[in-house]
Amino acid sequence: DFDVGELNISALTASDYLMEGEAKNGPGEAVEQSYSVKDGEGALTLSQQRNPLFAPFLSGRDSNARWDIRLASKVPLALTVNTGVGSANRDLSGLNLTALDLASGVGQTSVIFPASGPLNAKVKAGVGDVILTIPADVPARITVTSGLAGVRIPSRFSRDGNVYTTSGFSPTGHYLDLE
């Protein structure tokens, strides 16, 4: 969970670690990290925490927090990212993603999807621009549920109601299924 600031996620190169990164926190903020294993799967959680003693004095101030997170490219990852206010840039093109669950509040969000699959992804956005980049050679299906926002889908997708698909899409093998 990343409440306020700028969050950047990308792939690690030439590293034996699951994650590396830098975190610049705003006043009264800290990174909370936990790791657990259940049924043979690891779960790494990073959360932006605010000191409740400082909260009354810092309300209304912009956070200057910036996290640059890089994740292992060879390890299969199910990624869940929740952001509040700010910008979020996710270049996931170098990752081995099995699932993506993304929720953004207010601000600009950009996501570059990997060229490999299969990948089931959910993107929920509040207020602000959401820019999703899907590699041209990836068979994809996009199911759109839109409130007030306008949606622009490239012409390579055919439309059936609120579902857009590329030719050759099949929910088996190599694909991206995006809600």
Side-chain angles (χ1 to χ4, degrees), residues 33-78:
Q33 176 181 321
S34 66
Y35 184 79
S36 62
V37 177
K38 182 178 180 183
D39 298 327
E41 290 188 7
L44 173 65
T45 303
L46 300 176
S47 298
Q48 185 181 42
Q49 301 295 315
R50 290 186 163 185
N51 186 326
L53 296 174
F54 291 123
F57 305 106
L58 299 175
S59 63
R61 296 174 100 190
D62 290 335
S63 173
N64 58 354
R66 177 187 167 120
W67 290 6
D68 294 305
I69 307 295
R70 293 173 303 282
L71 300 169
S73 58
K74 304 278 189 248
V75 178
L77 299 171

Side-chain angles (χ1 to χ4, degrees), residues 64-103:
N64 58 354
R66 177 187 167 120
W67 290 6
D68 294 305
I69 307 295
R70 293 173 303 282
L71 300 169
S73 58
K74 304 278 189 248
V75 178
L77 299 171
L79 188 59
T80 301
V81 181
N82 298 308
T83 60
V85 178
S87 64
N89 303 299
R90 296 169 186 91
D91 181 353
L92 309 177
S93 60
L95 297 177
N96 181 5
L97 284 183
T98 59
L100 174 66
D101 191 350
L102 169 66

Side-chain angles (χ1 to χ4, degrees), residues 102-115:
L102 169 66
S104 65
V106 178
Q108 181 172 330
T109 298
S110 67
V111 179
I112 301 172
F113 288 96

Side-chain angles (χ1 to χ4, degrees), residues 110-129:
S110 67
V111 179
I112 301 172
F113 288 96
S116 60
L119 174 58
N120 293 304
K122 293 181 182 179
V123 176
K124 297 175 193 156
V127 178
D129 292 333

